[in-house]
């Protein structure tokens, strides 16, 4: 049975759609049905609206938006013509994948033969040079493992020991029995939600936050409550009171170089969070995907705040991390750290979903972790130079945009000069730049005034991307000549 989006829900997701997609003055208006179709298409393209979702009936959506049913009928026809909607008479309409499109980490996209395309939709880097050597050594060690079935739901002991050692070196003593290896950080979150959250239970998330985490909570059918991160990060008293008041089953937080804002949570809040969560009956899922990517000299000697788990006295903190950001996204290795009894329960639940992570990938991960110091140091130097290059280009080309320079991580969270993020993302793609608009990162579909810009590409690409973004932004303000047309509706 496919998921269904109701009229009121889709109306909230569209959120001022007439402005966001560029309805202009009398000289530049577009037909309202074209504007509506473009807005729905934008939700699908950037991942806020999933494939195979049943859209509301025409009458229901028209009532929710306060427009005529004729306009919705014509908009749906426009979406069918572009391949973004599939309909059956008497059954309804579902979002679809147009011919020639693909699903990527940033939603739907059309493969391009244009080598000039600059993709800023994904915050990730190519594999480090050490990967080939690590893979060769992993293959040399594979032999003994081939003598068994290869299924170890907890993960290979040698990798769990290496991960536990990383935590211990950070000041968080960890036993291998407290670690379970997963198929990436996303699977770690998904498995925790399967174990901990029943449909209808409340989950607390930050806003903005990582879009694929929002998708995981939606798939788990949790009731999402949101805590808004301000321009200076977390308000300590407000977050703690929100945790107590929400009485959520779980709270998902990214305290280390938060994705997408880049903020670093203060030590005093980390210290108080576990007890507040315990009082509220809430388990904390702490995402440390970016913890290794401290860039500022102040963190050169590992002077980051302690992990939230360091203050846990009630087994309320589940920490997730992985290889994707500091090493390589193509190596699907993640993990969960928590109390040993819960990790054992998680491994038992995992068997019904995924028997185990690939043995060879785990052995490669072991080899990379043995080279952790040199790999991570090189990543930090590279990202620092690229962060500063991107920031300088934005200040030169788009001085009216504002951002806080993050002390680590991979992205800038940029406040635009107007709420045009979705429209700008579409205009920028026409100029050869792919970006993720702000609403992808909001639990309620807002954030049209923001955009996430990774600094993971080479400096020259970043400078050129900003130049094209500036051109796309200027183009949005130019009047376009369109004429109103009345759609023909066949009863």
């Amino acid at each position: 049975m496919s998921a269904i989006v109701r009229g009121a829900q889709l109306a909230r997701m569209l959120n001022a759609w007439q402005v966001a997609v560029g309805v202009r003055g009398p000289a530049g208006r577009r037909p309202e049905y074209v504007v509506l179709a473009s807005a729905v298409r934008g939700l699908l393209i950037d991942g806020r609206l999933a494939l195979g979702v049943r859209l509301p009936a025409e009458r229901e959506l028209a009532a929710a938006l306060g427009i005529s049913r004729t306009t919705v009928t014509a908009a749906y026809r426009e979406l069918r013509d572009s391949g973004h909607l599939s309909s059956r008479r008497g059954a309804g309409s579902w979002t679809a994948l147009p011919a020639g499109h693909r699903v990527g980490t940033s939603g739907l996209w059309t493969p391009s033969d244009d080598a000039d395309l600059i993709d800023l939709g994904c915050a990730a880097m190519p594999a480090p040079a050490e990967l080939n050597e690590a893979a060769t050594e992993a293959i040399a060690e594979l032999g003994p493992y081939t003598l068994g079935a290869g299924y170890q739901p907890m993960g290979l002991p040698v990798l769990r020991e290496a991960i536990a050692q990383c935590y211990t070196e950070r000041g968080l003593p960890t036993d291998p029995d407290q670690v379970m290896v997963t198929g990436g950080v996303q699977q770690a979150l998904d498995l925790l939600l399967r174990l901990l959250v029943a449909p209808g239970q409340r989950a607390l998330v930050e806003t903005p936050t990582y879009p694929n985490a929002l998708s995981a909570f939606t798939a788990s059918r949790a009731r999402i409550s949101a805590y808004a991160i301000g321009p200076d990060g977390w308000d300590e008293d407000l977050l703690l009171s929100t945790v107590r008041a929400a009485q959520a089953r779980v709270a998902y937080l990214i305290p280390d170089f938060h994705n997408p804002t880049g903020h670093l949570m203060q030590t005093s809040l980390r210290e108080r969070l576990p007890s507040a969560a315990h009082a509220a009956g809430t388990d904390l899922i702490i995402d440390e995907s970016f913890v290794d990517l401290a860039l500022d000299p102040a963190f050169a000697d590992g002077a980051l705040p302690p992990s939230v788990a360091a203050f846990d006295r009630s087994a309320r903190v589940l920490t997730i991390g992985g290889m994707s950001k500091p090493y390589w996204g193509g190596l699907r290795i993640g993990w969960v750290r928590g109390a040993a009894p819960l990790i054992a329960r998680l491994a038992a639940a995992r068997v019904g979903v995924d028997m185990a992570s690939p043995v060879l990938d785990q052995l490669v991960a072991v080899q990379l972790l043995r080279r952790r110091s040199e790999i991570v140091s090189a990543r930090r130097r590279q990202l620092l130079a690229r962060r500063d290059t991107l920031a300088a280009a934005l200040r030169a080309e788009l001085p009216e945009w504002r951002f806080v320079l993050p002390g680590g991580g991979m992205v800038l969270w940029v406040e635009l000069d107007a709420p045009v993020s979705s429209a700008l993302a579409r205009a920028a793609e026409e100029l050869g730049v792919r970006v993720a608009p702000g609403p992808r990162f909001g639990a309620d579909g807002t954030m049209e005034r923001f955009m996430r810009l990774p600094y993971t590409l080479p400096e020259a690409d970043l400078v050129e991307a900003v130049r094209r973004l500036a051109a796309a932004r200027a183009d949005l303000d130019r009047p376009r000549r369109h004429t109103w047309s009345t759609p023909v509706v066949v009863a």
Side-chain angles (χ1 to χ4, degrees):
M1 183 176 180
S2 61
I4 301 174
V5 60
R6 300 297 181 187
Q9 182 184 1
L10 183 55
R12 287 194 300 271
M13 293 171 69
L14 289 166
N15 186 39
W17 56 279
Q18 292 162 307
V19 175
V21 298
V23 173
R24 304 173 192 280
R29 283 188 174 271
R30 291 187 289 170
E32 197 171 28
Y33 76 94
V34 173
V35 174
L36 177 57
S38 180
V40 174
R41 192 179 298 115
L43 293 176
L44 181 61
I45 288 172
D46 67 33
R48 283 173 277 164
L49 194 59
L51 288 173
V53 171
R54 183 176 175 179
L55 295 188
E58 295 166 2
R59 190 185 306 277
E60 181 185 352
L61 182 57
L65 293 174
I67 59 177
S68 72
R69 182 180 175 183
T70 300
T71 299
V72 177
T73 299
Y76 277 17
R77 186 180 66 245
E78 182 92 357
L79 290 165
R80 284 193 293 272
D81 289 345
S82 66
H84 292 88
L85 201 64
S86 176
S87 301
R88 290 202 309 271
R89 184 179 295 274
S93 299
W94 292 264
T95 54
L97 181 67
H101 283 60
R102 300 289 186 269
V103 178
T105 56
S106 302
L108 300 185
W109 55 278
T110 305
S112 174
D113 295 329
D114 184 4
D116 198 37
L117 177 69
I118 301 174
D119 191 353
L120 294 180
C122 181
M125 299 182 74
E130 292 86 351
L131 177 65
N132 289 341
E133 183 181 2
T136 299
E137 294 183 7
I139 291 173
E141 294 186 0
L142 181 61
Y145 293 94
T146 64
L147 302 177
Y151 298 133
Q152 296 199 40
M154 290 276 286
L156 297 183
V158 64
L159 178 55
R160 290 161 51 216
E161 289 170 4
I163 295 167
Q165 181 61 29
C166 290
Y167 280 112
T168 301
E169 290 173 359
R170 286 177 50 203
L172 181 60
T174 300
D175 188 88
D177 287 343
Q178 294 178 264
V179 175
M180 187 182 89
V181 177
T182 65
V185 182
Q186 187 70 19
Q187 190 191 52
L189 175 60
D190 181 72
L191 290 172
L192 284 173
L193 296 184
R194 288 172 180 269
L195 178 67
L196 299 175
V197 181
Q201 286 189 307
R202 191 175 299 279
L204 178 64
V205 302
E206 299 152 324
T207 184
T209 192
Y210 178 50
N212 290 337
L214 287 175
S215 298
F217 280 102
T218 300
S220 72
R221 292 186 288 169
R223 295 168 56 206
I224 297 177
S225 297
Y227 165 81
I229 294 181
D232 298 319
W234 299 264
D235 180 293
E236 186 166 334
D237 292 332
L238 180 58
L239 176 56
L240 293 172
S241 64
T242 301
V243 169
R244 297 186 189 102
Q247 301 285 302
R249 180 63 189 88
V250 297
Y252 171 76
L253 305 172
I254 312 173
D256 298 289
F257 311 119
H258 178 267
N259 184 10
T261 68
H263 290 304
L264 183 67
M265 184 181 287
Q266 58 269 40
T267 300
S268 57
L269 178 53
R270 295 167 186 251
E271 187 173 2
R272 297 173 65 189
L273 262 172
S275 60
H278 180 61
T282 300
D283 285 334
L284 298 176
I285 301 176
I286 302 299
D287 188 340
E288 293 188 340
S289 294
F290 292 93
V291 71
D292 286 328
L293 299 178
L295 305 182
D296 283 355
F299 306 131
D301 297 324
L304 286 175
S307 173
V308 174
F311 303 104
D312 184 22
R313 302 293 180 268
S314 306
R316 284 289 183 184
V317 178
L318 294 311
T319 305
I320 59 178
M323 307 291 289
S324 297
K325 300 306 180 183
Y327 299 93
W328 186 42
L331 188 66
R332 303 308 304 151
I333 296 294
W335 53 78
V336 181
R337 181 206 181 274
L342 187 140
I343 294 298
R345 288 173 52 209
L346 189 64
R350 186 235 185 108
V351 172
V353 178
D354 173 33
M355 295 291 287
S357 297
V359 172
L360 183 57
D361 287 15
Q362 293 183 73
L363 292 175
V364 172
V366 171
Q367 295 298 330
L368 290 174
L369 288 175
R370 288 173 181 169
R371 297 164 169 81
R372 179 169 177 258
S373 178
E374 55 264 38
I375 293 175
V376 171
S377 294
R379 290 296 206 206
R380 288 172 175 172
R381 290 192 298 271
Q382 196 172 46
L383 287 169
L384 177 60
R386 294 177 179 183
R387 181 200 69 178
D388 293 346
T389 296
L390 177 59
L394 288 170
R395 291 176 181 131
E397 296 280 353
L398 292 157
E400 64 277 17
W401 290 10
R402 297 185 295 179
F403 55 88
V404 175
L405 198 66
M410 291 180 157
V411 300
L412 292 184
W413 182 240
V414 181
E415 183 178 1
L416 312 181
D417 58 314
V420 294
S421 185
S422 295
L424 180 57
R426 289 190 286 275
E429 183 134 10
E430 294 177 4
L431 297 180
V433 179
R434 182 174 291 139
V435 293
R440 283 212 70 210
F441 302 86
D444 54 1
T446 57
M447 303 280 174
E448 277 291 354
R449 205 175 181 92
F450 294 88
M451 180 171 285
R452 190 190 76 169
L453 299 177
Y455 40 86
T456 51
L457 297 181
E459 285 92 330
D461 288 345
L462 295 173
V463 171
E464 177 61 19
V466 172
R467 187 192 68 78
R468 296 181 193 180
L469 280 173
R473 179 65 189 94
D475 185 58
L476 288 183
D477 288 334
R478 295 191 185 100
R480 300 178 182 177
R481 296 191 176 276
H482 296 276
T483 57
W484 284 97
S485 59
T486 302
V488 178
V489 180
V490 180

